[in-house]
Structure formats: structure tokens, C-alpha cells
Amino acid sequence: MLLWKIQKDTGFMTTRILGIESSCDETAAAIVADGRDILSSVVATQLDIHRKYGGVVPELASRAHLRKIVPVVREALAKAGLSFGDIDAVGVTHGPGLVGALLVGVTYGKVLATELRKPLVPVNHLEGHVHAVFLEAHLSRVVPELPAVCLIVSGGHTLLYHVEAKQPTEPASPRKFVYRRLGGTRDDAAGEAYDKVARLLALGYPGGPIIDQLANAGSRIKDDFSLGPVKIKGSPFDFSFSGIKTAVLYYVRAHPEFAEELAVREKALRENRRKAADLLPLCSPRTLSLISKFQSAVVRELVERTLAAAAGTGARTILVSGGVAANGELRERFTAQAERASVKVFFPSRALSTDNAAMIAEAAYFHLSDAATNSREWNAEPNLRLV
Ligand code: KG4
Ligand code: ZN
């Protein structure tokens, strides 16, 4: 019988799910009650490990997950004031992601659920990002209306989906979503473009947060650099960011005067002076303008193609999730342009935008009814798709 139904029949309504996330460079565990209340959420980031390589090193990521998974789960339980016996089910990311990294969470989740004799729910990381928006909306007591268009925009993905609610088979069971892929990036993910441009401008890793903080300082500077809208043949809901990144690269190469400040910033990064306040004085007006124009071009692509998808499908709601959803200009532009188009736009908080396990526990809740019939034959799936 289904877990939620047992609990409903016995009058004990709270379902506490332990979510586990290890698909990339964050080891995370969280406990979410009834698919809406975050009792705890712990994220151990590996940024300091990967920073000097300018990107995630898969082998180092797996090893760090192995070291962190047990303490992170214990901390999530402690923060929620719970013990293992209080957990009703375990949800774990099984893809997409780095295979070695995924395997740590999947193996741990399987052993834990078997030991506790509790249901185990395999969760698609991308669906986790969609649920992050709903988790946030629960906190603000609003429910995004469906159908919606959902933009998942992170370091590994830039994807556009149409999301509808499937009617639940039993009245009290949580509703599930039905996804249709509308488009995606043809080359780099948006976050990847941020990280690469930050690298070529000697702004450190990851690129998104630092570019986000510096972009405003260059917004009113006039120079000869400009980035027009990206032209893509075929689907209007596809994206391409490699041209924007390459335009920045060629501009820097064509202007040898950038070399000196690049060397100064590289030295600052080596000395661990990597905050916006450290790097801002080391950026010329021309660099700040480049940063600002790069960000505006990326944001324009994301906002306009997503709004076009909403108009094209008749959706009145837009959901934006993933690490790049934390971006200030993206949020502002989406909010302003969606309002003009009479479309409602929803973002998770910044903490729920980037990888976390609360969104995994939340997504697991909606698939709990499948867990009873699930075999444990599934494994890590690095190339898992949503549809
Ligand atoms: O969702 P996430 O934590 O991990 C992936 O699944 O990739 O996203 C990480 C990505 C990185 O590329 C990072 O540079 C970008 O999100 N990012 C941002 C911001 N914060 C993180 N990009 C733009 N603006 C931000 N504020
Ligand atoms: Zn992610």
C-alpha cells in the first residue's frame, strides 16, 4: 500500500523525506516534511577543491562526496532534531551528472533505505530544480498556476520545458508533472559561459556570482564593444552562448592593453583576493563594460526566448531555476518583462536556485507512490533526461 495513504488512514499525516544530492560539486542532504516544509538543508560545497582548476574535476568530486556524505546527512538530521528512525523515505539524485559523484549518493541512499526498511525514490536532478520553485512558492503561500514554461539554467544545463499537472490517480495523492521539451542550448550552458568568460577575464571560479556583482559597475560605460541578439536557425526556443563567449575572447585578444590588468587579477586570485570588493578596483572601465555587456547579452537571450515560449504555448506562468537563476539582472529583467506580458514569473530563493537536497526531497515526495513498486535495480544515470 502507498506510504502516504497509510499515513492518511492512520491520521498521521507528516511524511519526512531525507533528500540526498551528489550529482556535481555539492554534497547535500535535507529533510522536507510533506513536500513543503524544509526541516533542514545542508550543503557542503567543493568550490575550494575545484577552484584552482577553473572547473569541476570529476575524480576529486567523487572523493570529496565520499568524505562528506556521512557527516552531511548526520548534520541534516541533527539540525531537524530527528534521528534516522524518524525518516519515512529517502530520495536520491540518480542523474544527470558526473557518474562517480552520482554513485556516491545512490550507493549511500540504497544502503540507508535498505537498512531503515524505508522506500527509496530515485530523483531526476532536473525535476529537482523544477520542484525548487514550488518549494519556494509554498514558503510564500502561493501556488504557481499550470501549465507553465520552465527554464532550467545552470552550469550544466540550459533547458526549456512545458510543464503540466497530471491528474492524481487517487484524490489525496500529490499531483505529478508532465513535461514536454521545448528547447535547449546547442552548445554551452549559460552558467558554463559565465564560468568560461570569468576565466578568460581572470575573475576566478565560479564565474556567475562575481560577474553578477561586477556587471552593474560597467553598465553606463561607452566603448566600441557590442553584442547583438544571437541568431539561431530552427527552433526559436533553442539557445546558443558560445558566440557570445567567443566575441568576448576575440575582443580581449584584439586589445593587448588588457594583458596588464589580467596579470594583476591573476596575482590577486593566487593570493585568495577573489571577492568583488577585491577585484573591482583591479578592473579597468573597459573590462567592467565587457562584463556588463556579456551579462546583458546572456540575460536577454534567456528572458526573450523563454517569454516567446510562454507566448507560443499560451502558458501564463514561467518558472526559472538552476544556479544562474540566482542572477540579479536575470531576475529583474524577467520580472519586468513578464509583467508587461501579463505572465507570472517564479524563482526559488538564491539558496534553492543552486544545487541543494531540499529540492530532491521535495521531488521525491511527488514520486513516493511509485517507490513501493520500484525495484532497486536502477543505478546512476549520467545522461538521464527529463523527457
Ligand atoms: O545549479 P548549479 O549550482 O549547478 C549545476 O547544476 O550546474 O549551477 C552552477 C552554475 C555555475 O556555472 C555558476 O557560475 C552559475 O550557476 N551561477 C550564476 C550565479 N550564481 C551561480 N550565474 C549567474 N549569476 C549568478 N548569481
Ligand atoms: Zn543543478
Side-chain angles (χ1 to χ4, degrees):
M1 215 197 296
L2 311 178
L3 181 67
W4 61 265
K5 193 166 183 306
I6 304 170
Q7 293 178 334
K8 185 172 158 282
D9 292 349
T10 54
F12 172 64
M13 288 295 287
T14 303
T15 303
R16 297 184 191 102
I17 300 188
L18 168 67
I20 298 170
E21 157 63 36
S22 71
S23 65
C24 191
D25 60 344
E26 330 273 1
T27 317
I31 296 158
V32 175
D34 296 331
R36 51 173 183 266
D37 298 321
I38 303 174
L39 304 184
S40 64
S41 180
V42 178
V43 180
T45 180
Q46 303 176 3
L47 269 184
D48 286 339
I49 296 171
H50 302 292
R51 191 168 265 145
K52 56 179 167 293
Y53 305 99
V56 179
V57 182
E59 177 59 30
L60 297 182
S62 316
R63 283 194 224 160
H65 285 306
L66 272 173
R67 276 197 306 276
K68 283 291 187 184
I69 188 103
V70 171
V72 163
V73 171
R74 290 221 171 107
E75 194 182 335
L77 283 166
K79 282 197 165 150
L82 300 172
S83 62
F84 280 115
D86 300 315
I87 297 303
D88 298 301
V90 178
V92 60
T93 303
H94 74 128
L98 302 168
V99 66
L102 287 165
L103 273 170
V104 175
V106 166
T107 310
Y108 179 85
K110 282 187 179 182
V111 171
L112 182 65
T114 305
E115 199 56 29
L116 297 176
R117 296 172 195 270
K118 298 291 177 186
L120 175 67
V121 186
V123 176
N124 185 316
H125 180 84
L126 298 170
E127 185 161 39
H129 276 303
V130 178
H131 277 280
V133 187
F134 286 88
L135 196 47
E136 185 71 38
H138 279 309
L139 299 176
S140 339
R141 298 182 188 281
V142 284
V143 184
E145 217 175 84
L146 294 179
V149 162
C150 180
L151 171 70
I152 300 177
V153 64
S154 69
H157 309 278
T158 303
L159 288 160
L160 210 42
Y161 292 103
H162 185 260
V163 188
E164 267 177 300
K166 185 160 123 188
Q167 281 316 311
T169 39
E170 296 181 51
S173 68
R175 63 185 182 166
K176 288 185 186 167
F177 299 149
V178 184
Y179 302 96
R180 181 158 58 88
R181 191 181 187 281
L182 299 172
T185 181
R186 302 241 179 123
D187 38 59
D188 292 348
E192 193 181 351
Y194 265 98
D195 295 338
K196 287 178 176 169
V197 164
R199 190 177 186 169
L200 74 91
L201 291 177
L203 295 171
Y205 174 83
I210 186 79
I211 289 182
D212 190 4
Q213 290 171 71
L214 296 178
N216 202 21
S219 64
R220 274 183 274 282
I221 297 166
K222 297 255 179 298
D223 59 16
D224 58 345
F225 182 71
S226 67
L227 288 165
V230 176
K231 293 191 178 67
I232 305 176
K233 286 201 182 115
S235 168
F237 310 142
D238 275 350
F239 300 90
S240 169
F241 297 104
S242 76
I244 298 176
K245 170 198 72 189
T246 311
V248 177
L249 173 68
Y250 286 173
Y251 189 78
V252 172
R253 277 196 191 153
H255 293 84
E257 61 272 29
F258 279 116
E260 197 183 322
E261 56 173 306
L262 285 171
V264 171
R265 289 200 295 274
E266 260 148 27
K267 181 166 178 287
L269 293 174
R270 279 196 302 277
E271 291 166 358
N272 218 14
R273 288 183 287 126
R274 52 183 68 254
K275 294 205 175 87
D278 300 320
L279 296 175
L280 181 63
L282 308 181
C283 292
S284 66
R286 211 169 201 181
T287 294
L288 292 172
S289 165
L290 207 53
I291 292 169
S292 168
K293 284 171 181 165
F294 162 76
Q295 170 154 298
S296 294
V298 172
V299 167
R300 179 180 58 216
E301 291 301 313
L302 293 170
V303 172
E304 292 189 356
R305 290 177 193 271
T306 306
L307 277 163
T313 57
R316 315 296 324 146
T317 307
I318 289 175
L319 316 170
V320 188
S321 190
V324 183
N327 187 271
E329 187 174 338
L330 183 79
R331 285 172 178 250
E332 271 171 33
R333 291 262 286 261
F334 250 128
T335 308
Q337 287 186 224
E339 195 177 321
R340 262 179 258 140
S342 305
V343 172
K344 285 220 163 88
V345 61
F346 294 87
F347 299 92
S349 62
R350 281 184 167 75
L352 286 175
S353 294
T354 48
D355 287 351
N356 66 87
M359 67 184 195
I360 303 303
E362 155 89 358
Y365 178 75
F366 290 82
H367 289 286
L368 201 48
S369 56
D370 310 329
T373 51
N374 265 348
S375 78
R376 300 247 168 112
E377 293 305 300
W378 52 268
N379 217 328
E381 284 192 48
N383 300 316
L384 187 68
R385 293 168 66 109
L386 198 48
V387 274

Short mmCIF file of all heavy atoms in Angstrom, two decimals, residues 3-4 7 12-19 29-41 76 80 82 86-89 134-136 138-139 174 357-366 368:
data_model
loop_
_atom_site.label_atom_id
_atom_site.label_comp_id
_atom_site.label_asym_id
_atom_site.label_seq_id
_atom_site.Cartn_x
_atom_site.Cartn_y
_atom_site.Cartn_z
N LEU A 3 2.65 4.68 0.88
CA LEU A 3 3.02 5.25 2.17
C LEU A 3 2.13 6.41 2.60
O LEU A 3 1.64 6.46 3.72
CB LEU A 3 4.49 5.73 2.11
CG LEU A 3 5.02 6.33 3.40
CD1 LEU A 3 5.12 5.28 4.49
CD2 LEU A 3 6.38 6.95 3.15
N TRP A 4 1.86 7.33 1.65
CA TRP A 4 1.06 8.50 2.03
C TRP A 4 -0.34 8.09 2.45
O TRP A 4 -0.98 8.70 3.28
CB TRP A 4 1.01 9.53 0.89
CG TRP A 4 0.41 9.03 -0.37
CD1 TRP A 4 1.09 8.52 -1.43
CD2 TRP A 4 -0.97 8.94 -0.71
NE1 TRP A 4 0.22 8.12 -2.40
CE2 TRP A 4 -1.06 8.37 -1.99
CE3 TRP A 4 -2.16 9.29 -0.05
CZ2 TRP A 4 -2.26 8.14 -2.63
CZ3 TRP A 4 -3.36 9.06 -0.69
CH2 TRP A 4 -3.41 8.49 -1.96
N GLN A 7 -0.39 6.67 5.97
CA GLN A 7 -0.32 7.75 6.94
C GLN A 7 -1.63 8.51 7.03
O GLN A 7 -2.05 8.93 8.09
CB GLN A 7 0.83 8.67 6.58
CG GLN A 7 2.13 7.92 6.76
CD GLN A 7 3.33 8.71 6.39
OE1 GLN A 7 3.23 9.61 5.58
NE2 GLN A 7 4.46 8.40 6.97
N PHE A 12 -1.88 9.95 10.78
CA PHE A 12 -0.55 10.51 10.99
C PHE A 12 -0.08 11.05 9.66
O PHE A 12 0.27 10.31 8.76
CB PHE A 12 0.38 9.41 11.50
CG PHE A 12 1.82 9.83 11.57
CD1 PHE A 12 2.22 10.84 12.44
CD2 PHE A 12 2.78 9.24 10.76
CE1 PHE A 12 3.53 11.23 12.50
CE2 PHE A 12 4.10 9.64 10.81
CZ PHE A 12 4.47 10.62 11.69
N MET A 13 -0.12 12.38 9.53
CA MET A 13 -0.01 12.94 8.19
C MET A 13 1.39 13.32 7.74
O MET A 13 1.64 13.48 6.57
CB MET A 13 -0.91 14.18 8.09
CG MET A 13 -2.39 13.86 8.05
SD MET A 13 -2.84 12.95 6.58
CE MET A 13 -2.74 14.24 5.36
N THR A 14 2.28 13.53 8.72
CA THR A 14 3.58 14.06 8.30
C THR A 14 4.45 12.99 7.64
O THR A 14 4.64 11.92 8.20
CB THR A 14 4.31 14.68 9.51
OG1 THR A 14 3.45 15.67 10.03
CG2 THR A 14 5.62 15.32 9.09
N THR A 15 4.94 13.32 6.45
CA THR A 15 5.87 12.43 5.76
C THR A 15 7.20 13.16 5.67
O THR A 15 7.29 14.19 5.02
CB THR A 15 5.36 12.11 4.34
OG1 THR A 15 4.06 11.54 4.46
CG2 THR A 15 6.28 11.14 3.63
N ARG A 16 8.20 12.61 6.33
CA ARG A 16 9.51 13.29 6.32
C ARG A 16 10.44 12.54 5.39
O ARG A 16 10.71 11.35 5.58
CB ARG A 16 10.11 13.30 7.72
CG ARG A 16 9.29 14.08 8.72
CD ARG A 16 10.03 14.12 10.05
NE ARG A 16 9.18 14.62 11.10
CZ ARG A 16 8.59 13.84 11.99
NH1 ARG A 16 8.76 12.54 11.96
NH2 ARG A 16 7.84 14.37 12.94
N ILE A 17 10.89 13.28 4.38
CA ILE A 17 11.78 12.65 3.40
C ILE A 17 13.19 13.21 3.53
O ILE A 17 13.38 14.43 3.59
CB ILE A 17 11.25 12.85 1.97
CG1 ILE A 17 9.85 12.20 1.86
CG2 ILE A 17 12.21 12.24 0.93
CD1 ILE A 17 9.28 12.15 0.47
N LEU A 18 14.15 12.29 3.57
CA LEU A 18 15.56 12.69 3.55
C LEU A 18 15.99 12.74 2.09
O LEU A 18 15.92 11.73 1.39
CB LEU A 18 16.40 11.65 4.32
CG LEU A 18 17.92 11.77 4.15
CD1 LEU A 18 18.46 13.04 4.77
CD2 LEU A 18 18.63 10.55 4.75
N GLY A 19 16.39 13.91 1.63
CA GLY A 19 16.88 14.06 0.25
C GLY A 19 18.40 14.03 0.24
O GLY A 19 19.03 14.57 1.16
N ALA A 29 22.31 17.25 1.85
CA ALA A 29 21.26 16.44 2.46
C ALA A 29 20.24 17.39 3.07
O ALA A 29 20.60 18.48 3.54
CB ALA A 29 21.84 15.53 3.54
N ALA A 30 18.97 17.01 3.01
CA ALA A 30 17.92 17.87 3.56
C ALA A 30 16.76 17.01 4.01
O ALA A 30 16.57 15.90 3.50
CB ALA A 30 17.45 18.87 2.50
N ILE A 31 15.99 17.54 4.95
CA ILE A 31 14.76 16.84 5.35
C ILE A 31 13.59 17.78 5.10
O ILE A 31 13.58 18.93 5.56
CB ILE A 31 14.84 16.38 6.81
CG1 ILE A 31 15.98 15.36 6.91
CG2 ILE A 31 13.52 15.74 7.24
CD1 ILE A 31 16.54 15.20 8.25
N VAL A 32 12.64 17.29 4.31
CA VAL A 32 11.47 18.09 3.95
C VAL A 32 10.22 17.32 4.39
O VAL A 32 10.09 16.12 4.13
CB VAL A 32 11.45 18.37 2.43
CG1 VAL A 32 10.17 19.10 2.02
CG2 VAL A 32 12.67 19.19 2.02
N ALA A 33 9.32 18.02 5.08
CA ALA A 33 8.09 17.38 5.56
C ALA A 33 6.95 17.67 4.59
O ALA A 33 6.75 18.83 4.18
CB ALA A 33 7.75 17.91 6.95
N ASP A 34 6.22 16.62 4.22
CA ASP A 34 5.02 16.73 3.38
C ASP A 34 5.24 17.53 2.10
O ASP A 34 4.33 18.21 1.63
CB ASP A 34 3.86 17.35 4.18
CG ASP A 34 3.44 16.45 5.32
OD1 ASP A 34 3.61 15.22 5.18
OD2 ASP A 34 2.98 16.97 6.36
N GLY A 35 6.43 17.47 1.56
CA GLY A 35 6.72 18.14 0.30
C GLY A 35 6.60 19.65 0.37
O GLY A 35 6.45 20.29 -0.67
N ARG A 36 6.71 20.24 1.55
CA ARG A 36 6.67 21.69 1.61
C ARG A 36 7.45 22.34 2.73
O ARG A 36 7.91 23.47 2.59
CB ARG A 36 5.23 22.22 1.61
CG ARG A 36 4.34 21.62 2.59
CD ARG A 36 2.98 22.32 2.63
NE ARG A 36 2.21 21.71 3.66
CZ ARG A 36 1.36 20.71 3.45
NH1 ARG A 36 1.14 20.27 2.24
NH2 ARG A 36 0.72 20.17 4.46
N ASP A 37 7.66 21.67 3.86
CA ASP A 37 8.36 22.34 4.96
C ASP A 37 9.80 21.83 5.04
O ASP A 37 10.02 20.65 5.27
CB ASP A 37 7.66 22.07 6.30
CG ASP A 37 6.25 22.63 6.29
OD1 ASP A 37 6.07 23.72 5.71
OD2 ASP A 37 5.34 21.95 6.82
N ILE A 38 10.74 22.77 4.87
CA ILE A 38 12.15 22.37 4.96
C ILE A 38 12.54 22.33 6.44
O ILE A 38 12.60 23.36 7.10
CB ILE A 38 13.05 23.38 4.21
CG1 ILE A 38 12.61 23.51 2.74
CG2 ILE A 38 14.52 22.95 4.29
CD1 ILE A 38 13.34 24.59 1.97
N LEU A 39 12.79 21.12 6.95
CA LEU A 39 13.18 21.00 8.36
C LEU A 39 14.67 21.25 8.51
O LEU A 39 15.13 21.73 9.55
CB LEU A 39 12.81 19.62 8.90
CG LEU A 39 11.32 19.22 8.76
CD1 LEU A 39 11.05 17.87 9.42
CD2 LEU A 39 10.41 20.29 9.35
N SER A 40 15.43 20.91 7.48
CA SER A 40 16.86 21.23 7.47
C SER A 40 17.38 21.10 6.05
O SER A 40 16.79 20.38 5.24
CB SER A 40 17.65 20.29 8.39
OG SER A 40 17.57 18.97 7.90
N SER A 41 18.45 21.81 5.75
CA SER A 41 19.06 21.71 4.43
C SER A 41 20.54 22.04 4.58
O SER A 41 20.89 23.14 4.99
CB SER A 41 18.39 22.68 3.45
OG SER A 41 18.98 22.56 2.18
N ALA A 76 22.20 17.13 8.73
CA ALA A 76 20.81 17.43 8.32
C ALA A 76 19.84 16.88 9.36
O ALA A 76 18.86 17.55 9.73
CB ALA A 76 20.53 16.85 6.94
N ALA A 80 17.45 19.12 12.05
CA ALA A 80 15.99 18.94 12.08
C ALA A 80 15.54 18.38 13.43
O ALA A 80 14.34 18.25 13.67
CB ALA A 80 15.58 18.01 10.95
N LEU A 82 16.02 15.31 14.44
CA LEU A 82 15.46 13.98 14.16
C LEU A 82 16.56 12.93 14.20
O LEU A 82 17.75 13.26 14.13
CB LEU A 82 14.81 13.97 12.77
CG LEU A 82 13.66 14.94 12.51
CD1 LEU A 82 13.27 14.91 11.04
CD2 LEU A 82 12.45 14.61 13.39
N ASP A 86 13.19 8.48 12.41
CA ASP A 86 12.06 9.40 12.13
C ASP A 86 11.84 9.64 10.64
O ASP A 86 10.91 10.33 10.25
CB ASP A 86 12.33 10.78 12.78
CG ASP A 86 12.49 10.67 14.28
OD1 ASP A 86 11.68 9.96 14.89
OD2 ASP A 86 13.42 11.28 14.83
N ILE A 87 12.74 9.11 9.81
CA ILE A 87 12.65 9.34 8.36
C ILE A 87 11.67 8.34 7.74
O ILE A 87 11.70 7.15 8.04
CB ILE A 87 14.06 9.16 7.72
CG1 ILE A 87 15.02 10.22 8.28
CG2 ILE A 87 14.02 9.23 6.20
CD1 ILE A 87 14.58 11.64 8.07
N ASP A 88 10.76 8.84 6.89
CA ASP A 88 9.76 7.96 6.26
C ASP A 88 10.21 7.43 4.90
O ASP A 88 9.69 6.42 4.43
CB ASP A 88 8.45 8.73 6.08
CG ASP A 88 7.89 9.15 7.43
OD1 ASP A 88 7.63 8.26 8.24
OD2 ASP A 88 7.75 10.37 7.67
N ALA A 89 11.10 8.15 4.26
CA ALA A 89 11.57 7.71 2.95
C ALA A 89 12.86 8.46 2.62
O ALA A 89 13.17 9.50 3.21
CB ALA A 89 10.53 7.99 1.86
N PHE A 134 8.58 25.30 -6.68
CA PHE A 134 7.33 25.04 -5.93
C PHE A 134 7.57 25.07 -4.43
O PHE A 134 6.73 25.55 -3.67
CB PHE A 134 6.73 23.69 -6.37
CG PHE A 134 6.11 23.78 -7.73
CD1 PHE A 134 6.87 23.57 -8.87
CD2 PHE A 134 4.78 24.14 -7.88
CE1 PHE A 134 6.32 23.69 -10.13
CE2 PHE A 134 4.21 24.28 -9.13
CZ PHE A 134 4.98 24.05 -10.26
N LEU A 135 8.75 24.59 -4.03
CA LEU A 135 9.11 24.63 -2.61
C LEU A 135 9.14 26.08 -2.12
O LEU A 135 8.59 26.42 -1.08
CB LEU A 135 10.48 23.95 -2.46
CG LEU A 135 10.95 23.52 -1.09
CD1 LEU A 135 9.90 22.77 -0.32
CD2 LEU A 135 12.20 22.63 -1.25
N GLU A 136 9.77 26.92 -2.91
CA GLU A 136 9.84 28.35 -2.57
C GLU A 136 8.44 28.95 -2.54
O GLU A 136 8.09 29.72 -1.63
CB GLU A 136 10.67 29.07 -3.64
CG GLU A 136 10.91 30.53 -3.34
CD GLU A 136 11.86 30.70 -2.17
OE1 GLU A 136 12.81 29.92 -2.07
OE2 GLU A 136 11.62 31.60 -1.34
N HIS A 138 5.63 27.48 -1.91
CA HIS A 138 4.94 27.03 -0.69
C HIS A 138 5.29 27.95 0.47
O HIS A 138 4.43 28.32 1.26
CB HIS A 138 5.41 25.62 -0.29
CG HIS A 138 4.74 24.52 -1.06
ND1 HIS A 138 3.38 24.44 -1.19
CD2 HIS A 138 5.26 23.45 -1.70
CE1 HIS A 138 3.10 23.35 -1.89
NE2 HIS A 138 4.21 22.76 -2.24
N LEU A 139 6.58 28.29 0.56
CA LEU A 139 7.04 29.13 1.67
C LEU A 139 6.34 30.48 1.65
O LEU A 139 6.05 31.07 2.68
CB LEU A 139 8.57 29.32 1.63
CG LEU A 139 9.41 28.05 1.75
CD1 LEU A 139 10.90 28.35 1.59
CD2 LEU A 139 9.17 27.37 3.09
N PRO A 174 -0.25 13.33 -4.05
CA PRO A 174 0.33 14.53 -4.64
C PRO A 174 0.29 14.45 -6.17
O PRO A 174 0.47 13.38 -6.74
CB PRO A 174 1.78 14.49 -4.16
CG PRO A 174 1.89 13.39 -3.18
CD PRO A 174 0.72 12.50 -3.34
N ALA A 357 19.67 19.74 -1.57
CA ALA A 357 18.96 18.46 -1.44
C ALA A 357 17.49 18.66 -1.04
O ALA A 357 16.70 17.72 -1.15
CB ALA A 357 19.65 17.58 -0.41
N ALA A 358 17.11 19.88 -0.64
CA ALA A 358 15.70 20.11 -0.29
C ALA A 358 14.83 19.90 -1.53
O ALA A 358 13.75 19.31 -1.47
CB ALA A 358 15.53 21.53 0.27
N MET A 359 15.34 20.35 -2.68
CA MET A 359 14.57 20.19 -3.92
C MET A 359 14.47 18.71 -4.31
O MET A 359 13.50 18.29 -4.94
CB MET A 359 15.19 21.01 -5.06
CG MET A 359 16.55 20.54 -5.53
SD MET A 359 17.24 21.66 -6.79
CE MET A 359 18.56 20.65 -7.46
N ILE A 360 15.45 17.92 -3.90
CA ILE A 360 15.43 16.48 -4.21
C ILE A 360 14.41 15.78 -3.30
O ILE A 360 13.61 14.94 -3.76
CB ILE A 360 16.85 15.86 -4.03
CG1 ILE A 360 17.87 16.60 -4.93
CG2 ILE A 360 16.86 14.35 -4.30
CD1 ILE A 360 17.53 16.62 -6.43
N ALA A 361 14.40 16.16 -2.01
CA ALA A 361 13.41 15.58 -1.09
C ALA A 361 12.01 15.96 -1.53
O ALA A 361 11.08 15.15 -1.48
CB ALA A 361 13.69 16.09 0.32
N GLU A 362 11.85 17.20 -1.97
CA GLU A 362 10.53 17.70 -2.43
C GLU A 362 10.06 16.91 -3.66
O GLU A 362 8.92 16.45 -3.73
CB GLU A 362 10.67 19.19 -2.75
CG GLU A 362 9.71 19.77 -3.75
CD GLU A 362 8.43 20.28 -3.13
OE1 GLU A 362 8.28 20.14 -1.90
OE2 GLU A 362 7.58 20.80 -3.87
N ALA A 363 10.95 16.73 -4.63
CA ALA A 363 10.58 15.98 -5.84
C ALA A 363 10.27 14.53 -5.48
O ALA A 363 9.34 13.93 -6.05
CB ALA A 363 11.71 16.05 -6.87
N ALA A 364 11.02 13.97 -4.53
CA ALA A 364 10.80 12.57 -4.13
C ALA A 364 9.39 12.38 -3.56
O ALA A 364 8.74 11.36 -3.80
CB ALA A 364 11.85 12.16 -3.09
N TYR A 365 8.91 13.38 -2.85
CA TYR A 365 7.57 13.29 -2.24
C TYR A 365 6.50 13.03 -3.30
O TYR A 365 5.57 12.27 -3.08
CB TYR A 365 7.29 14.60 -1.49
CG TYR A 365 5.93 14.68 -0.86
CD1 TYR A 365 5.65 13.96 0.31
CD2 TYR A 365 4.91 15.46 -1.41
CE1 TYR A 365 4.41 14.03 0.91
CE2 TYR A 365 3.67 15.53 -0.83
CZ TYR A 365 3.41 14.82 0.33
OH TYR A 365 2.17 14.88 0.91
N PHE A 366 6.67 13.67 -4.46
CA PHE A 366 5.68 13.54 -5.52
C PHE A 366 5.77 12.19 -6.24
O PHE A 366 4.89 11.85 -7.01
CB PHE A 366 5.80 14.72 -6.50
CG PHE A 366 5.34 16.00 -5.86
CD1 PHE A 366 6.19 16.72 -5.04
CD2 PHE A 366 4.04 16.45 -6.04
CE1 PHE A 366 5.77 17.86 -4.41
CE2 PHE A 366 3.61 17.60 -5.41
CZ PHE A 366 4.47 18.32 -4.60
N LEU A 368 6.58 9.38 -4.37
CA LEU A 368 6.61 8.40 -3.29
C LEU A 368 5.71 7.21 -3.59
O LEU A 368 6.02 6.07 -3.25
CB LEU A 368 6.17 9.09 -2.00
CG LEU A 368 6.56 8.46 -0.69
CD1 LEU A 368 8.03 8.08 -0.67
CD2 LEU A 368 6.25 9.41 0.45
#
